[in-house]
Amino acid sequence: MKLHFPRLGFGVGLLLPALCQPALAAPAANSRAAVVDRANRAATIEPQASRFVQAVQLQAFAEGAIYHVMTAPDRVTDIALQPGETLVAVASGDTARWVIGDTTSGQGEGKRTHILVKPYSPGLSTNLVITTDRRSYHLALSSSGGAAMSALSWTYPADDLVAIKRAAAAAEAAKAVASGLSAESLNFNYEISGDKPTWRPLRAFDDGRQTFIQLPASIVLDEAPPLFLVDDKGAAQLVNYRLSGRFYVVDRIFTAAELRLGTKNQQIVRIQRVAEGGVHGRAR
């Protein structure tokens, strides 16, 4: 197990008995310290019987919450992060009387980081901050001579909501974008050029009446760019269209159009209809 003392820049100090620590006076009710104390208490989420899955305390992650972790000497408590999450740093208020390390399990997309904590004696308390490439975790550690939590992990409602939205968008895109479409009537002779933003279309096609522009799945998270028709002189005019799943549907056939987003550093993607055997205008 890797110790974090060198990484955090702390030396291993002497173990100080809890009795040697001066007692802290209770803050006055209206003092700033009391305000901070009340806020921390209100934000602290205690272990709950209904949240145990076998021996793992499974909490819903909330930004700014403090999760209480109960530990005991001679017991290691496992704090398991989200699979695929990359550990950046671990910091603790007391590195002299706690052993704090990290390890991993699994591999590939399922690789998971585990923070392992163990107190030297009962009656200790400190805080722990874990930062990753996705979020920050705030924990309150306490030790006693009694039971210790074997493991703590989280569910991630915000991530689940994004996944649901993506699944819904994919399901919508899988539906027919217009009634009466037949494969025989579709024309895929379109060229897409220009910038390469995350919303760059995958393809464009028409059925002789309508034009369909297929966007990537990430469009549910991106700002949707407006569509402009471009004439032979290069003049652009905003055109009416509707969004159906991941498709822009335009109720007409056009020769050239551009998706534009931004003002100062504008991103432009050009969509050009190419006649069979013909030569189209120069793409931007």
Side-chain angles (χ1 to χ4, degrees), residues 137-148:
Y137 300 84
H138 297 267
L139 303 102
L141 307 180
S142 66
S143 67
S144 71

Side-chain angles (χ1 to χ4, degrees), residues 7-267:
R7 181 195 298 183
L8 299 174
F10 295 116
V12 180
L14 297 175
L15 301 185
L16 303 177
L19 293 178
C20 294
Q21 304 300 310
L24 297 178
N30 296 323
S31 68
R32 293 179 180 177
V35 171
V36 172
D37 184 63
R38 286 196 298 269
N40 287 342
R41 289 177 183 274
T44 300
I45 298 177
E46 298 290 343
Q48 303 172 40
S50 61
R51 290 286 186 172
F52 276 102
V53 178
Q54 302 293 0
V56 179
Q57 174 74 185
L58 191 62
Q59 293 283 0
F61 179 82
E63 190 72 32
I66 301 173
Y67 299 90
H68 184 195
V69 182
M70 299 173 62
T71 68
D74 301 323
R75 295 288 185 270
V76 173
T77 297
D78 174 16
I79 301 168
L81 307 185
Q82 187 179 31
E85 193 169 14
T86 301
L87 179 65
V88 175
V90 179
S92 174
D94 183 353
T95 59
R97 299 180 296 175
W98 295 79
V99 177
I100 303 171
D102 68 87
T103 188
T104 60
S105 64
Q107 57 185 350
E109 294 183 358
K111 187 175 181 179
R112 193 171 196 180
T113 297
H114 302 260
I115 308 300
L116 308 178
V117 298
K118 184 180 74 170
Y120 279 116
S121 61
L124 304 179
S125 64
T126 190
N127 72 316
L128 186 70
V129 178
I130 304 169
T131 59
T132 74
D133 60 340
R134 298 178 183 175
R135 57 185 63 86
S136 297
Y137 300 84
H138 297 267
L139 303 102
L141 307 180
S142 66
S143 67
S144 71
M149 293 167 58
S150 295
L152 169 65
S153 187
W154 289 269
T155 59
Y156 300 88
D159 289 10
D160 293 342
L161 180 59
V162 170
I164 290 171
K165 287 183 176 179
R166 286 179 175 172
E172 183 68 20
K175 298 179 181 178
V177 293
S179 60
L181 276 183
S182 62
E184 294 79 9
S185 67
L186 299 183
N187 170 36
F188 288 90
N189 290 330
Y190 284 81
E191 181 181 89
I192 298 174
S193 60
D195 295 327
K196 296 182 178 180
T198 56
W199 46 261
R200 181 184 172 104
L202 303 177
R203 64 181 59 85
F205 58 92
D206 69 73
D207 66 349
R209 298 181 303 106
Q210 297 174 307
T211 304
F212 305 90
I213 303 170
Q214 185 179 359
L215 301 169
S218 61
I219 193 62
V220 298
L221 302 176
D222 291 330
E223 182 180 355
L227 180 68
F228 297 84
L229 296 189
V230 181
D231 63 21
D232 293 339
K233 297 181 180 180
Q237 181 181 0
L238 190 65
V239 66
N240 290 328
Y241 60 90
R242 63 183 180 277
L243 185 62
S244 178
R246 286 163 45 194
F247 290 85
Y248 278 13
V249 181
V250 185
D251 291 326
R252 58 175 293 180
I253 305 301
F254 58 76
T255 301
E258 290 179 348
L259 292 167
R260 301 180 178 183
L261 187 62
T263 53
K264 185 176 181 180
N265 297 312
Q266 190 175 56
Q267 295 175 307

